[in-house]
Amino acid sequence: MADTRRRVKLYMLNEDRQWDDRGTGHVSSAYVERLRGISLLVRSETDGSILLESKIQQDTAYQKQQETLIVWSEADNYDLALSFQEKAGCDEIWEKICQVQGKDPSVDITQDVVEESEDERFDDMPDAAPPIELPPCETSKLEEIAELFSSVLPSPIRREKLAVAIEAESYIRKLVDLFHMCEDLENIDGLHHLYEIFKSIFLLNKNALFEIMFSDDIIFDIIGILEYDPTLSTPTKHREYLRNTAKFKEVVPMTNSELETKIHQTYRVQYIQDVILPTPSVFEENMLSSLSSFIFFNKVEIVSMIQDDVKFLTTLFAQLTGEETDDNHRRDLVLFLKEFCTFSQTLQQPNRESFYKTLSNLGILSSIEIILGLDDERMKLAAIDIFSYIVEFSPSMVREFILHESISVDDEDLLINLVIEQMINDTDPELGGAVQLIGILRLLLDPENMLATASKTEKSEFLSFFYKHSMHVLTAPLFANTADNKPSRDDYQSAQLLGLILELLTFCVEHHTYHIKNYIITKDVLRRVLVLLKSRHAFLVLCE
């Protein structure tokens, strides 16, 4: 069995500053003749191919983050990260990197990060950027601290040195103690200065500082500090909202305390990024990339931990489909599953494939079918969101399920027909849900994404099935509304729904040829469609 300590996922930062998953494998360090030095090697666990061959350069700044992550840059805009399955493996490779560079393994970064332009500017001035001396952490010094922190932001060298000083002197926790004092004494000026100080700390963009601020014992204090934005007339009650309104519901008991802590932390950090922190200016927009990466890797870890927890997932699905489960609890389970699937969007091949296979084996599509058969709109909407994620990832997996169940399930209970019924009965005045569902149906009916290896079989089987068992459900509103010489209902919502159905029928005409031609002729569809020319809604007339 392969050593799990050395099992890693390799990530590369793309042009949009998002982390792309480049595969899972096992990492080792060895001398590579071609590179003339000790190098990091990652071999794919699927086929043994080399995913990474990277020489450990003397001047490269490697960073260790969150105990299982090593991040570095190899060239301009070419950032790499190794995410380890186990802390022991991360420590082992980190020690090797430090040994090659002659560094103490207790550090979290092996080099001072300095931009080239700054290097050149200070080449002949060795003392131009001395260590930053922090003022005493006292209430009377808060304005001075805020000004110092703000003044270093334009300089990469000074940002780095300030971050080192803050971490070395446990300055964040000292500032949190001052926050408690200022809040108890209602010292508004002091609280405003603390807000500015912590806004600057965020803009230092240092993972090591984020790990301190987001630790379980002080994250609420950090959120409290960020309530006192000087530009607002009254503080925003973020802590009250997170404690009382946004309560975490443990839908299935979690035996993994690390997973639960990670979920809490990720939700709160995402809230800080999305709700509390002001929209970054052009100057600041790349100065929060480490915050985005922190959230991204947390989500990857959460999905992996849940996916590996067989007992948790088995219990979740058993309760989701169990007859004795009450509606409120079932709704919580569906919403949790939707959030879980949303997190999975951070994964890429082959991890997303493994994720959806896990859900498929647990009966995710049968569960969606059961939920769509219930009389609960909120649950149905969440189920449709989950269904859309699955269809977008693998239409063939969904088609296979639909074909298989058609052998033993009545037409009205088929998953695809329940989806069509949900579309037809959308209560949204703008038919937002129906528009989403039309997109899903289009993906399922598109021959272009049917498996290349069995395209003829999948295409002929699924389209034959659809026209026999489901097309009549899709066109039912069209036939119901055109029984006479003019539309029986011509309100805006009915016209909008008919417009969507005509749009999908047009797609079928363009892509299905034989099946749709046969259907149009035998069901006299053209005559029915021409009745809609008498609609008072121009957009519906133009759909024809």
Side-chain angles (χ1 to χ4, degrees):
M1 184 180 171
D3 184 356
T4 57
R5 283 180 312 162
R6 295 286 189 90
R7 190 166 184 261
V8 294
K9 289 178 184 174
L10 173 66
Y11 293 92
M12 186 182 295
L13 203 63
N14 64 27
E15 291 176 357
D16 298 324
R17 307 299 292 168
Q18 300 293 321
W19 288 100
D20 285 342
D21 183 348
R22 306 312 290 258
T24 303
H26 290 83
V27 64
S28 61
S29 58
Y31 183 85
V32 175
E33 184 67 40
R34 183 175 61 81
L35 299 176
R36 297 188 178 180
I38 301 291
S39 305
L40 298 176
L41 302 171
V42 178
R43 287 190 179 275
S44 169
E45 68 177 4
T46 53
D47 59 10
S49 61
I50 293 178
L51 301 177
L52 175 73
E53 200 173 56
S54 170
K55 182 179 176 182
I56 303 172
Q57 303 283 2
Q58 286 297 323
D59 56 352
T60 296
Y62 292 87
Q63 293 184 59
K64 187 166 76 160
Q65 303 175 1
Q66 300 183 47
E67 295 192 329
T68 55
L69 203 62
I70 296 176
V71 181
W72 73 99
S73 297
E74 294 224 332
D76 292 342
N77 298 319
Y78 187 66
D79 290 7
L80 295 166
L82 291 177
S83 178
F84 287 76
Q85 182 170 325
E86 295 182 17
K87 178 180 180 293
C90 184
D91 291 343
E92 211 174 300
I93 293 298
W94 183 251
E95 284 177 18
K96 190 66 182 180
I97 292 168
C98 291
Q99 180 187 333
V100 172
Q101 290 196 344
K103 302 290 179 179
D104 182 342
S106 65
V107 300
D108 283 337
I109 182 166
T110 62
Q111 306 285 335
D112 287 339
V113 179
V114 178
E115 289 188 4
E116 190 178 338
S117 57
E118 295 284 332
D119 270 338
E120 291 167 356
R121 196 181 310 163
F122 294 114
D123 262 351
D124 302 319
M125 303 168 65
D127 299 323
I132 288 178
E133 288 190 24
L134 297 173
C137 206
E138 299 167 2
T139 312
S140 59
K141 298 286 186 182
L142 283 174
E143 185 173 6
E144 183 186 335
I145 297 168
E147 287 174 359
L148 168 65
F149 281 26
S150 177
S151 71
V152 308
L153 293 177
S155 164
I157 292 178
R158 287 173 61 72
R159 282 204 306 270
E160 189 65 39
K161 291 189 179 295
L162 176 60
V164 168
I166 289 171
E167 188 177 4
E169 297 188 29
S170 303
Y171 213 64
I172 286 172
R173 292 182 182 274
K174 291 176 184 176
L175 288 167
V176 166
D177 290 340
L178 286 189
F179 165 64
H180 292 150
M181 196 185 304
C182 288
E183 199 167 43
D184 290 343
L185 298 172
E186 297 183 358
N187 178 351
I188 299 301
D189 284 345
L191 292 166
H192 285 169
H193 291 318
L194 280 163
Y195 173 91
E196 295 295 351
I197 290 166
F198 274 87
K199 184 184 170 189
S200 295
I201 292 175
F202 272 90
L203 293 173
L204 292 176
N205 202 27
K206 290 296 166 193
N207 202 81
L209 301 183
F210 289 147
E211 288 189 30
I212 297 167
M213 290 194 288
F214 301 151
S215 57
D216 211 32
D217 58 332
I218 66 167
I219 188 168
F220 266 98
D221 296 319
I222 304 302
I223 291 167
I225 290 165
L226 295 174
E227 291 178 354
Y228 292 94
D229 183 344
T231 63
L232 302 177
S233 54
T234 55
T236 313
K237 296 181 178 180
H238 295 300
R239 284 172 293 178
E240 186 179 308
Y241 171 78
L242 288 171
R243 283 198 172 109
N244 302 326
T245 309
K247 285 188 175 177
F248 175 71
K249 290 182 179 177
E250 195 174 14
V251 293
V252 175
M254 287 186 177
T255 53
N256 187 339
S257 58
E258 185 189 351
L259 169 61
E260 190 172 347
T261 301
K262 190 73 72 177
I263 290 172
H264 281 294
Q265 183 191 58
T266 305
Y267 178 80
R268 291 161 186 165
V269 177
Q270 186 90 61
Y271 183 87
I272 290 171
Q273 184 187 51
D274 294 345
V275 180
I276 302 180
L277 288 178
T279 305
S281 65
V282 175
F283 162 64
E284 297 166 345
E285 67 181 350
N286 286 326
M287 297 175 71
L288 288 171
S289 58
S290 289
L291 181 61
S292 298
S293 294
F294 187 97
I295 294 168
F296 173 87
F297 284 111
N298 264 20
K299 286 181 177 178
V300 169
E301 208 171 329
I302 287 168
V303 173
S304 299
M305 288 164 82
I306 292 176
Q307 193 179 339
D308 292 341
D309 194 334
V310 178
K311 185 182 177 186
F312 176 86
L313 283 176
T314 306
T315 306
L316 187 150
F317 276 91
Q319 292 182 10
L320 188 65
T321 56
E323 290 182 11
E324 63 283 355
T325 306
D326 71 71
D327 285 349
N328 288 334
H329 185 55
R330 199 188 311 274
R331 191 180 305 117
D332 289 339
L333 290 164
V334 175
L335 293 172
F336 173 83
L337 196 54
K338 176 192 164 184
E339 194 72 16
F340 183 35
C341 289
T342 305
F343 273 25
S344 77
Q345 298 306 99
T346 58
L347 302 176
Q348 292 190 14
Q349 290 280 25
N351 301 308
R352 277 180 77 196
E353 186 173 353
S354 165
F355 169 80
Y356 283 114
K357 275 185 179 172
T358 300
L359 292 189
S360 178
N361 292 337
L362 287 161
I364 181 73
L365 292 169
S366 301
S367 303
I368 290 170
E369 199 167 61
I370 290 169
I371 294 156
L372 290 179
L374 300 174
D375 191 20
D376 187 306
E377 204 55 37
R378 197 175 171 203
M379 264 199 269
K380 285 182 179 181
L381 292 173
I384 288 297
D385 284 337
I386 296 167
F387 186 62
S388 70
Y389 285 136
I390 299 169
V391 173
E392 283 170 20
F393 178 73
S394 178
S396 285
M397 186 170 88
V398 178
R399 284 191 285 261
E400 185 183 346
F401 172 84
I402 292 167
L403 287 170
H404 186 264
E405 71 161 359
S406 67
I407 300 166
S408 56
V409 176
D410 294 337
D411 279 7
E412 63 267 23
D413 296 325
L414 289 169
L415 175 58
I416 192 165
N417 290 347
L418 290 170
V419 168
I420 294 169
E421 288 287 355
Q422 178 74 11
M423 180 200 80
I424 291 169
N425 297 314
D426 187 10
T427 54
D428 177 8
E430 295 299 319
L431 295 189
V435 171
Q436 180 190 11
L437 289 167
I438 280 287
I440 293 172
L441 291 169
R442 186 190 291 247
L443 278 171
L444 288 173
L445 293 169
D446 188 354
E448 295 296 316
N449 66 42
M450 294 184 181
L451 288 174
T453 52
S455 57
K456 285 186 179 176
T457 309
E458 186 173 24
K459 182 178 176 181
S460 59
E461 266 194 67
F462 188 76
L463 293 183
S464 296
F465 156 81
F466 182 81
Y467 281 87
K468 183 178 178 183
H469 298 278
S470 301
M471 184 57 104
H472 68 280
V473 183
L474 177 68
T475 55
L478 170 65
F479 282 90
N481 219 22
T482 56
D484 301 317
N485 287 328
K486 63 176 184 176
S488 56
R489 293 182 61 183
D490 204 23
D491 58 281
Y492 176 73
Q493 199 161 350
S494 297
Q496 207 180 4
L497 176 62
L498 288 169
L500 290 173
I501 291 169
L502 290 183
E503 192 182 304
L504 191 57
L505 288 176
T506 304
F507 176 83
C508 293
V509 168
E510 291 170 354
H511 293 84
H512 295 168
T513 56
Y514 163 74
H515 290 90
I516 188 69
K517 178 184 174 183
N518 195 37
Y519 185 82
I520 288 171
I521 293 169
T522 56
K523 300 294 182 184
D524 201 14
V525 174
L526 195 55
R527 184 176 65 80
R528 297 301 192 116
V529 169
L530 291 173
V531 172
L532 298 179
L533 285 172
K534 295 176 183 176
S535 170
R536 61 192 173 89
H537 297 282
F539 70 85
L540 178 57
V541 174
L542 291 170
C543 279
E544 302 179 53

